[in-house]
């Protein structure tokens, strides 16, 4: 699935709080251009995983809400013992660092975000 523009609405530590996600982990809220009726969680998780060189299982989907499709999520730390020796520096980053990387790509209008 491809979305045309994704917009970060907020990005902060404990954004999703204890009611939705892991306390103490960074959380993100992303609005995607796909209408809620057409939004597919697995496709979105796969796209984010590819973008940050993570396993799909490391993308914690906390929910999506209307009227615009707004997705709440976190990224878990990779299992470093399962990474290949030639894993990239991005793949080795913690989940929180990957969240910060996504945010920095959005702030700087990086092409990686607009290609998703």
């Amino acid at each position: 699935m491809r979305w045309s523009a994704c917009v970060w609405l907020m990005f902060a530590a404990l954004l999703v709080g204890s009611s939705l996600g892991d306390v103490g982990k960074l959380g993100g809220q992303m609005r995607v251009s796909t209408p809620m009726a057409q939004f597919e969680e697995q496709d979105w998780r796969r796209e984010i995983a590819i973008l940050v060189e993570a396993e799909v299982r490391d993308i914690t989907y906390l929910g999506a809400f209307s009227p615009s499709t707004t997705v709440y999520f976190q990224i878990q730390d990779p299992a470093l013992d399962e990474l290949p020796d030639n894993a990239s520096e991005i793949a080795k980053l913690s989940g929180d660092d990957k969240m910060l990387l996504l945010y920095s790509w959005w702030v700087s209008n990086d092409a990686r975000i607009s290609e998703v």
Side-chain angles (χ1 to χ4, degrees):
M1 174 172 82
R2 296 278 184 203
W3 330 265
S4 51
C6 62
V7 178
W8 285 79
L9 300 176
M10 283 198 290
F11 188 89
L14 307 175
L15 169 73
V16 291
S18 60
S19 63
L20 291 176
D22 289 345
V23 175
K25 289 204 59 70
L26 293 178
Q29 182 181 31
M30 182 184 286
R31 185 173 53 204
V32 297
S33 61
T34 304
M36 191 68 179
Q38 298 170 350
F39 178 76
E40 295 288 336
E41 172 195 344
Q42 289 301 318
D43 291 342
W44 178 84
R45 289 177 64 215
R46 189 170 20 278
E47 291 285 342
I48 296 298
I50 290 168
L51 191 62
V52 296
E53 300 180 30
E55 296 295 323
V56 173
R57 69 175 181 245
D58 294 337
I59 310 303
T60 303
Y61 171 85
L62 301 171
F65 305 94
S66 315
S68 61
T69 306
T70 303
V71 182
Y72 293 83
F73 68 105
Q74 292 176 319
I75 302 174
Q76 303 305 313
D77 295 339
L80 295 176
D81 58 333
E82 295 178 13
L83 290 175
D85 293 336
N86 63 345
S88 73
E89 291 305 310
I90 292 175
K92 295 175 187 175
L93 291 174
S94 71
D96 287 349
D97 286 341
K98 289 178 181 184
M99 292 295 287
L100 291 170
L101 183 61
L102 275 175
Y103 179 71
S104 69
W105 286 343
W106 176 73
V107 167
S108 65
N109 201 26
D110 191 285
R112 285 172 275 218
I113 292 288
S114 60
E115 290 173 2
V116 175

